[in-house]
Amino acid sequence: MGGSSGHLRGTSAGMRVRATGAGHSRSPLYVDEGNIMMDVRDLRSHEGVWMRINPETAERKFKTLTAMTGVYEVEMNEFMIKNNVTVLAQPLNDQETLGGMVAASTHGSTYDEPTYSSFVVEMRLIDSQGRLRRFTIEKHPQIMKAAICNLGMFGIMYDITIKVHPARIVKVVNTFVPLKDLFYNQTALKEQISGNFMNEISWFPFNNLSPEEEEYYIKNNKAPETWNAGKDILWVRTINPVSEAELAGKNLTGSIYLPSNGSLAGGSAPGLLKAKGSVELARKVPAVLYQYLVHAFPIILPPLTGVETSAAFMLNIDSQFDRPFRAINFMVNTTEKQIKQNASTPMNALLPRWFKNHNCYLCPGNDEITMADDSGKTLVIDFLAPPAQYGFYPAAEAFVEKFKDEKLRPHWAKRHDNIPGIINVIKNVYGPLLPGFQDQKRLADVDPCDMFMNSYLLSVFGRSKNCYYY
């Protein structure tokens, strides 16, 4: 595990390598054009094991799961069910790789649980000198504080070991409520989010029109004056552990996916009426389900055709829920204004998510990024649209400008590098956490000459000052 006087010769030629997996969303973490993209999905273990459950040990009083970096979340979920274990938080898309979820600190929406990075207790990776390295939370706590959200800068992750819990059965309830009753009511919003194990809320703008309003829109290609965002319907999924008594006699259901060919905003109607179609599709999901927790997390599949892009920004949740209330309403008002002005929307779906912070240099949900009256939790404002959708990028830029003084930070794995000044925003928010990460990367001796960087990461972190050659 010590240092080395060696160096991978190809680095001196300026070539860089970036690992890729499922390619879930557009982001600046992707490999630069002309450099090397290493797809890890077909990476196989030299020990012949794709996934395994590890028993409790003297150091770890809990079971762990070790899997190759390229294994898909859906494959891990089935493996966990067979072995009667679970994780407590996951995203709503189960077509992501383990390495991708760890590298970028992928979040779920479990209010009292952190991101996927927080589960990691050990990893093996291939460094820039081709060595297979091993780091553990017990022996290398500070290096692991950097490695568990490394944005691909630690090398090619080989396999990853995560903490797992005994399997859980949950009750999933799908409801549809007026936007004004939740997004315009700060107390109701706080009670909804803090009162449930997990909440997923989705808004498809312009989704609730009377027949007369719909006819007016079709005829005039204009939003009727009688429509406002408060009248729209929110799709609310709540997920809570269920008692054995309530479960008695109930059948368990596997994962249920929105019947929309992958896209969350999946309505097929023209123009803004797509939103109404999205709600109609969501209503086809059963109102109440009993599932293994890992079957309850996912609700969408990646689009089969076309593309969507996503912007996601994170803010600290205060104990009174003032900041989430203001942030959500800023996006609602921005969207309502554009719809009324020119019958277009900057987003197809708004997806606020909520999770607990963690001790990690680069995790956006970060214990060391604090605000007054802090709850120790993070809000994610995530919104989707086709890449060329009118108003999408201006809306993202306006949101950053509005909240940049409240320690706003982007989700690393979402689109944000096109926003003016975003690098300075990142540097201001993370502050000493950025050089702290660089110090641990240097001590780990995994990439002294920046083989695993790209132009975006170099703009954030700068070049390493400890490069050596032989």
Side-chain angles (χ1 to χ4, degrees):
M1 292 300 302
S4 169
S5 60
H7 150 72
L8 197 64
R9 296 180 187 272
T11 311
S12 60
M15 295 298 293
R16 295 195 173 89
V17 180
R18 298 285 294 164
T20 62
H24 169 56
S25 23
R26 295 165 177 258
S27 92
L29 300 181
Y30 205 68
V31 64
D32 288 337
E33 185 174 354
N35 285 292
I36 299 169
M37 178 182 72
M38 182 176 290
D39 191 331
V40 300
R41 288 175 293 180
D42 289 329
L43 183 64
R44 293 294 184 264
S45 171
H46 68 285
E47 298 163 337
V49 180
W50 184 236
M51 287 180 278
R52 68 174 185 270
I53 298 293
N54 308 301
E56 296 182 14
T57 67
E59 285 185 312
R60 299 173 184 163
K61 304 297 184 181
F62 49 83
K63 289 183 179 180
T64 58
L65 185 159
T66 300
M68 298 299 291
T69 183
V71 70
Y72 276 93
E73 181 184 346
V74 64
E75 296 169 319
M76 290 180 61
N77 288 349
E78 297 309 314
F79 184 76
M80 282 190 279
I81 288 173
K82 288 179 182 178
N83 288 277
N84 201 36
V85 296
T86 190
V87 291
L88 300 182
Q90 279 187 3
L92 52 70
N93 171 7
D94 62 11
Q95 297 299 306
E96 304 181 40
T97 59
L98 174 59
M101 291 190 292
V102 169
S105 191
T106 293
H107 66 86
S109 197
T110 308
Y111 190 60
D112 287 318
E113 296 297 331
T115 67
Y116 221 93
S117 293
S118 70
F119 309 151
V120 179
V121 296
E122 181 176 329
M123 71 170 60
R124 291 192 292 181
L125 54 86
I126 302 166
D127 69 13
S128 65
Q129 298 173 61
R131 301 174 297 181
L132 182 62
R133 310 287 299 281
R134 176 175 177 263
F135 299 100
T136 71
I137 200 73
E138 295 85 8
K139 293 181 179 179
H140 317 96
Q142 289 303 308
I143 288 175
M144 285 293 284
K145 183 179 173 181
I148 60 175
C149 176
N150 61 64
L151 310 185
M153 293 184 285
F154 260 57
I156 307 299
M157 287 184 288
Y158 181 75
D159 60 19
I160 299 168
T161 300
I162 62 173
K163 178 180 180 179
V164 291
H165 299 264
R168 295 191 184 185
I169 307 298
V170 295
K171 180 180 181 179
V172 182
V173 179
N174 291 284
T175 57
F176 298 85
V177 302
L179 183 147
K180 62 180 176 60
D181 291 352
L182 195 56
F183 282 178
Y184 291 173
N185 186 327
Q186 186 172 329
T187 300
L189 182 65
K190 178 182 177 181
E191 291 176 352
Q192 172 70 38
I193 303 308
S194 61
N196 292 287
F197 175 77
M198 180 176 167
N199 299 267
E200 288 182 349
I201 303 174
S202 304
W203 175 45
F204 311 106
F206 203 67
N207 69 49
N208 191 26
L209 304 178
S210 68
E212 294 75 20
E213 289 173 325
E214 185 173 335
E215 182 179 353
Y216 179 90
Y217 168 74
I218 293 172
K219 181 178 180 180
N220 299 284
N221 192 30
K222 183 178 179 180
E225 293 183 3
T226 50
W227 174 85
N228 61 70
K231 294 172 58 177
D232 272 356
I233 299 298
L234 299 177
W235 175 26
V236 181
R237 296 180 77 227
T238 56
I239 298 174
N240 289 294
V242 66
S243 67
E244 290 187 11
E246 184 178 355
L247 184 61
K250 306 292 195 308
N251 293 320
L252 295 185
T253 305
S255 293
I256 299 291
Y257 302 98
L258 192 67
S260 59
N261 293 327
S263 171
L264 186 61
S268 59
L272 293 177
L273 296 182
K274 179 185 292 290
K276 179 183 177 182
S278 296
V279 173
E280 290 172 352
L281 286 170
R283 290 185 186 276
K284 294 181 180 180
V285 177
V288 178
L289 296 163
Y290 293 89
Q291 299 174 294
Y292 282 106
L293 178 57
V294 292
H295 278 158
F297 288 125
I299 191 64
I300 62 168
L301 293 168
L304 297 179
T305 60
V307 292
E308 280 186 328
T309 193
S310 173
F313 302 98
M314 306 195 189
L315 291 163
N316 293 53
I317 299 175
D318 59 285
S319 64
Q320 299 303 310
F321 260 61
D322 173 67
R323 191 171 297 108
F325 180 74
R326 288 187 290 109
I328 289 172
N329 276 276
F330 180 86
M331 294 309 299
V332 170
N333 294 338
T334 298
T335 302
E336 181 184 70
K337 181 179 179 180
Q338 183 173 320
I339 289 173
K340 288 184 173 181
Q341 284 181 341
N342 57 27
S344 68
T345 175
M347 66 182 76
N348 288 345
L350 175 65
L351 316 170
R353 297 293 184 258
W354 333 78
F355 63 88
K356 185 180 178 181
N357 295 340
H358 184 60
N359 185 23
C360 164
Y361 284 105
L362 300 184
C363 291
N366 199 306
D367 281 342
E368 297 182 53
I369 301 175
T370 59
M371 295 285 288
D373 191 31
D374 212 312
S375 69
K377 310 288 177 65
T378 288
L379 160 72
V380 187
I381 291 289
D382 191 343
F383 53 100
L384 308 177
Q389 184 142 322
Y390 177 78
F392 176 80
Y393 294 118
E397 184 176 343
F399 187 82
V400 170
E401 181 63 28
K402 177 69 175 179
F403 292 96
K404 67 180 181 181
D405 293 331
E406 299 185 54
K407 296 191 178 179
L408 170 144
R409 56 270 183 197
H411 186 341
W412 295 109
K414 302 292 185 179
R415 186 68 184 269
H416 61 268
D417 54 314
N418 58 310
I419 296 175
I422 195 64
I423 300 300
N424 286 334
V425 170
I426 291 170
K427 290 180 177 180
N428 289 337
V429 171
Y430 283 88
L433 292 170
L434 299 181
F437 172 87
Q438 288 287 70
D439 287 344
Q440 296 307 316
K441 178 185 167 189
R442 175 182 55 80
L443 291 170
D445 190 33
V446 289
D447 186 22
C449 296
D450 301 327
M451 172 178 278
F452 299 114
M453 303 289 279
N454 67 7
S455 56
Y456 164 77
L457 292 169
L458 288 170
S459 70
V460 175
F461 294 91
R463 295 185 179 277
S464 296
K465 298 179 175 61
N466 58 308
C467 183
Y468 49 78
Y469 298 89
Y470 66 90

Short mmCIF file of all heavy atoms in Angstrom, two decimals, residues 228-262:
data_model
loop_
_atom_site.label_atom_id
_atom_site.label_comp_id
_atom_site.label_asym_id
_atom_site.label_seq_id
_atom_site.Cartn_x
_atom_site.Cartn_y
_atom_site.Cartn_z
N ASN A 228 -53.48 27.62 -13.56
CA ASN A 228 -52.29 28.01 -12.80
C ASN A 228 -51.66 26.76 -12.23
O ASN A 228 -52.31 25.70 -12.13
CB ASN A 228 -52.61 29.03 -11.71
CG ASN A 228 -53.59 28.49 -10.69
OD1 ASN A 228 -53.27 27.61 -9.90
ND2 ASN A 228 -54.82 29.03 -10.70
N ALA A 229 -50.41 26.87 -11.85
CA ALA A 229 -49.67 25.69 -11.40
C ALA A 229 -50.28 25.06 -10.16
O ALA A 229 -50.21 23.83 -9.97
CB ALA A 229 -48.21 26.06 -11.14
N GLY A 230 -50.87 25.86 -9.31
CA GLY A 230 -51.46 25.32 -8.08
C GLY A 230 -52.55 24.30 -8.33
O GLY A 230 -52.82 23.44 -7.48
N LYS A 231 -53.19 24.37 -9.52
CA LYS A 231 -54.25 23.42 -9.85
C LYS A 231 -53.71 22.08 -10.31
O LYS A 231 -54.45 21.09 -10.33
CB LYS A 231 -55.13 24.01 -10.97
CG LYS A 231 -55.92 25.23 -10.57
CD LYS A 231 -56.61 25.86 -11.77
CE LYS A 231 -57.54 24.88 -12.48
NZ LYS A 231 -58.26 25.53 -13.61
N ASP A 232 -52.44 22.04 -10.70
CA ASP A 232 -51.86 20.81 -11.21
C ASP A 232 -51.83 19.73 -10.13
O ASP A 232 -51.96 20.01 -8.93
CB ASP A 232 -50.45 21.05 -11.74
CG ASP A 232 -50.44 21.47 -13.21
OD1 ASP A 232 -51.51 21.50 -13.83
OD2 ASP A 232 -49.34 21.77 -13.72
N ILE A 233 -51.62 18.50 -10.57
CA ILE A 233 -51.60 17.34 -9.69
C ILE A 233 -50.16 16.88 -9.47
O ILE A 233 -49.37 16.80 -10.43
CB ILE A 233 -52.44 16.20 -10.28
CG1 ILE A 233 -53.90 16.64 -10.43
CG2 ILE A 233 -52.33 14.94 -9.44
CD1 ILE A 233 -54.58 16.99 -9.13
N LEU A 234 -49.82 16.58 -8.23
CA LEU A 234 -48.54 15.97 -7.89
C LEU A 234 -48.74 14.46 -7.73
O LEU A 234 -49.72 14.01 -7.12
CB LEU A 234 -47.99 16.53 -6.58
CG LEU A 234 -47.69 18.02 -6.52
CD1 LEU A 234 -47.22 18.38 -5.10
CD2 LEU A 234 -46.65 18.42 -7.55
N TRP A 235 -47.80 13.70 -8.27
CA TRP A 235 -47.76 12.25 -8.02
C TRP A 235 -46.85 12.04 -6.81
O TRP A 235 -45.67 12.37 -6.84
CB TRP A 235 -47.23 11.55 -9.25
CG TRP A 235 -47.02 10.06 -9.08
CD1 TRP A 235 -47.65 9.22 -8.22
CD2 TRP A 235 -46.11 9.25 -9.83
NE1 TRP A 235 -47.20 7.93 -8.37
CE2 TRP A 235 -46.26 7.92 -9.36
CE3 TRP A 235 -45.21 9.51 -10.85
CZ2 TRP A 235 -45.50 6.87 -9.88
CZ3 TRP A 235 -44.46 8.47 -11.38
CH2 TRP A 235 -44.61 7.15 -10.89
N VAL A 236 -47.40 11.51 -5.74
CA VAL A 236 -46.67 11.34 -4.48
C VAL A 236 -46.56 9.85 -4.16
O VAL A 236 -47.59 9.17 -3.98
CB VAL A 236 -47.36 12.08 -3.32
CG1 VAL A 236 -46.57 11.91 -2.03
CG2 VAL A 236 -47.52 13.56 -3.66
N ARG A 237 -45.33 9.36 -4.09
CA ARG A 237 -45.08 7.98 -3.65
C ARG A 237 -44.50 8.03 -2.24
O ARG A 237 -43.49 8.69 -2.01
CB ARG A 237 -44.08 7.28 -4.57
CG ARG A 237 -44.51 7.09 -6.00
CD ARG A 237 -43.42 6.38 -6.78
NE ARG A 237 -43.37 4.96 -6.50
CZ ARG A 237 -42.27 4.26 -6.23
NH1 ARG A 237 -41.11 4.87 -6.14
NH2 ARG A 237 -42.32 2.96 -6.02
N THR A 238 -45.14 7.34 -1.31
CA THR A 238 -44.58 7.21 0.04
C THR A 238 -44.27 5.73 0.28
O THR A 238 -45.05 4.85 -0.11
CB THR A 238 -45.55 7.72 1.11
OG1 THR A 238 -46.80 7.03 1.00
CG2 THR A 238 -45.79 9.20 0.94
N ILE A 239 -43.13 5.51 0.91
CA ILE A 239 -42.64 4.16 1.17
C ILE A 239 -42.30 4.06 2.64
O ILE A 239 -41.49 4.84 3.15
CB ILE A 239 -41.42 3.84 0.29
CG1 ILE A 239 -41.80 3.90 -1.19
CG2 ILE A 239 -40.83 2.48 0.65
CD1 ILE A 239 -40.64 3.74 -2.14
N ASN A 240 -42.92 3.11 3.34
CA ASN A 240 -42.70 2.93 4.77
C ASN A 240 -42.61 1.46 5.13
O ASN A 240 -43.31 0.62 4.52
CB ASN A 240 -43.84 3.57 5.57
CG ASN A 240 -43.81 5.09 5.53
OD1 ASN A 240 -42.90 5.70 6.05
ND2 ASN A 240 -44.81 5.68 4.88
N PRO A 241 -41.75 1.11 6.10
CA PRO A 241 -41.70 -0.28 6.58
C PRO A 241 -43.07 -0.72 7.08
O PRO A 241 -43.84 0.07 7.62
CB PRO A 241 -40.68 -0.22 7.72
CG PRO A 241 -39.84 0.99 7.42
CD PRO A 241 -40.78 1.98 6.78
N VAL A 242 -43.35 -2.00 6.91
CA VAL A 242 -44.66 -2.52 7.27
C VAL A 242 -44.51 -3.55 8.38
O VAL A 242 -43.53 -4.30 8.42
CB VAL A 242 -45.37 -3.12 6.03
CG1 VAL A 242 -44.63 -4.35 5.51
CG2 VAL A 242 -46.81 -3.45 6.32
N SER A 243 -45.47 -3.61 9.28
CA SER A 243 -45.43 -4.59 10.37
C SER A 243 -45.85 -5.96 9.85
O SER A 243 -46.54 -6.08 8.83
CB SER A 243 -46.36 -4.15 11.49
OG SER A 243 -47.72 -4.21 11.07
N GLU A 244 -45.47 -7.00 10.59
CA GLU A 244 -45.86 -8.36 10.20
C GLU A 244 -47.38 -8.51 10.25
O GLU A 244 -47.97 -9.22 9.43
CB GLU A 244 -45.19 -9.37 11.13
CG GLU A 244 -43.68 -9.48 10.92
CD GLU A 244 -43.08 -10.62 11.73
OE1 GLU A 244 -43.86 -11.43 12.28
OE2 GLU A 244 -41.84 -10.70 11.80
N ALA A 245 -48.00 -7.83 11.19
CA ALA A 245 -49.45 -7.94 11.31
C ALA A 245 -50.15 -7.38 10.07
O ALA A 245 -51.09 -7.98 9.55
CB ALA A 245 -49.92 -7.19 12.56
N GLU A 246 -49.68 -6.22 9.59
CA GLU A 246 -50.30 -5.63 8.40
C GLU A 246 -49.99 -6.44 7.15
O GLU A 246 -50.79 -6.52 6.23
CB GLU A 246 -49.83 -4.18 8.21
CG GLU A 246 -50.51 -3.50 7.02
CD GLU A 246 -50.10 -2.05 6.86
OE1 GLU A 246 -49.36 -1.53 7.71
OE2 GLU A 246 -50.53 -1.43 5.86
N LEU A 247 -48.82 -7.07 7.15
CA LEU A 247 -48.39 -7.82 5.97
C LEU A 247 -49.13 -9.14 5.83
O LEU A 247 -49.22 -9.70 4.73
CB LEU A 247 -46.88 -8.07 6.05
CG LEU A 247 -46.22 -8.77 4.86
CD1 LEU A 247 -46.38 -7.94 3.58
CD2 LEU A 247 -44.75 -9.02 5.15
N ALA A 248 -49.70 -9.63 6.90
CA ALA A 248 -50.33 -10.95 6.90
C ALA A 248 -51.34 -11.09 5.76
O ALA A 248 -52.25 -10.27 5.62
CB ALA A 248 -51.02 -11.18 8.24
N GLY A 249 -51.14 -12.12 4.95
CA GLY A 249 -52.06 -12.40 3.85
C GLY A 249 -51.83 -11.57 2.60
O GLY A 249 -52.54 -11.76 1.60
N LYS A 250 -50.89 -10.64 2.63
CA LYS A 250 -50.63 -9.78 1.46
C LYS A 250 -49.62 -10.45 0.53
O LYS A 250 -48.70 -11.13 0.97
CB LYS A 250 -50.08 -8.41 1.90
CG LYS A 250 -50.94 -7.68 2.91
CD LYS A 250 -52.25 -7.22 2.32
CE LYS A 250 -52.94 -6.18 3.18
NZ LYS A 250 -53.10 -6.56 4.59
N ASN A 251 -49.79 -10.24 -0.75
CA ASN A 251 -48.84 -10.75 -1.74
C ASN A 251 -47.77 -9.70 -2.01
O ASN A 251 -48.08 -8.51 -2.15
CB ASN A 251 -49.55 -11.10 -3.04
CG ASN A 251 -50.49 -12.28 -2.89
OD1 ASN A 251 -50.17 -13.26 -2.19
ND2 ASN A 251 -51.65 -12.21 -3.52
N LEU A 252 -46.53 -10.13 -2.10
CA LEU A 252 -45.44 -9.22 -2.44
C LEU A 252 -45.34 -9.08 -3.95
O LEU A 252 -45.51 -10.04 -4.70
CB LEU A 252 -44.11 -9.74 -1.89
CG LEU A 252 -43.99 -9.81 -0.37
CD1 LEU A 252 -42.57 -10.21 0.02
CD2 LEU A 252 -44.35 -8.49 0.28
N THR A 253 -45.08 -7.86 -4.39
CA THR A 253 -44.97 -7.53 -5.81
C THR A 253 -43.53 -7.18 -6.13
O THR A 253 -42.85 -6.55 -5.33
CB THR A 253 -45.88 -6.34 -6.16
OG1 THR A 253 -47.21 -6.63 -5.75
CG2 THR A 253 -45.86 -6.04 -7.64
N GLY A 254 -43.06 -7.59 -7.29
CA GLY A 254 -41.73 -7.19 -7.74
C GLY A 254 -41.72 -5.73 -8.13
O GLY A 254 -42.70 -5.00 -7.93
N SER A 255 -40.63 -5.27 -8.70
CA SER A 255 -40.53 -3.87 -9.11
C SER A 255 -41.59 -3.54 -10.14
O SER A 255 -41.85 -4.32 -11.07
CB SER A 255 -39.14 -3.59 -9.68
OG SER A 255 -38.16 -3.69 -8.68
N ILE A 256 -42.22 -2.40 -9.97
CA ILE A 256 -43.24 -1.90 -10.89
C ILE A 256 -42.69 -0.65 -11.56
O ILE A 256 -42.31 0.31 -10.89
CB ILE A 256 -44.55 -1.53 -10.14
CG1 ILE A 256 -45.13 -2.76 -9.44
CG2 ILE A 256 -45.56 -0.91 -11.10
CD1 ILE A 256 -45.67 -3.81 -10.37
N TYR A 257 -42.64 -0.64 -12.89
CA TYR A 257 -42.08 0.49 -13.62
C TYR A 257 -43.19 1.27 -14.32
O TYR A 257 -44.17 0.71 -14.81
CB TYR A 257 -41.06 0.01 -14.66
CG TYR A 257 -39.94 -0.79 -14.07
CD1 TYR A 257 -39.95 -2.18 -14.10
CD2 TYR A 257 -38.85 -0.16 -13.47
CE1 TYR A 257 -38.91 -2.92 -13.56
CE2 TYR A 257 -37.81 -0.89 -12.92
CZ TYR A 257 -37.85 -2.27 -12.96
OH TYR A 257 -36.82 -3.01 -12.41
N LEU A 258 -43.01 2.57 -14.37
CA LEU A 258 -43.96 3.44 -15.05
C LEU A 258 -44.08 3.00 -16.51
O LEU A 258 -43.07 2.87 -17.20
CB LEU A 258 -43.47 4.89 -14.98
CG LEU A 258 -44.43 5.98 -15.38
CD1 LEU A 258 -45.58 6.08 -14.39
CD2 LEU A 258 -43.69 7.32 -15.46
N PRO A 259 -45.30 2.75 -17.02
CA PRO A 259 -45.46 2.25 -18.39
C PRO A 259 -45.31 3.36 -19.42
O PRO A 259 -46.26 3.74 -20.11
CB PRO A 259 -46.89 1.69 -18.37
CG PRO A 259 -47.60 2.52 -17.37
CD PRO A 259 -46.59 2.85 -16.30
N SER A 260 -44.09 3.87 -19.56
CA SER A 260 -43.89 5.07 -20.39
C SER A 260 -42.70 4.96 -21.33
O SER A 260 -42.12 5.97 -21.72
CB SER A 260 -43.70 6.28 -19.48
OG SER A 260 -42.58 6.08 -18.64
N ASN A 261 -42.29 3.74 -21.67
CA ASN A 261 -41.12 3.54 -22.53
C ASN A 261 -39.87 4.19 -21.93
O ASN A 261 -38.99 4.64 -22.65
CB ASN A 261 -41.36 4.09 -23.94
CG ASN A 261 -42.41 3.30 -24.69
OD1 ASN A 261 -42.54 2.09 -24.49
ND2 ASN A 261 -43.19 3.97 -25.52
N GLY A 262 -39.81 4.22 -20.61
CA GLY A 262 -38.60 4.67 -19.95
C GLY A 262 -38.63 6.09 -19.44
O GLY A 262 -38.25 6.33 -18.31
#
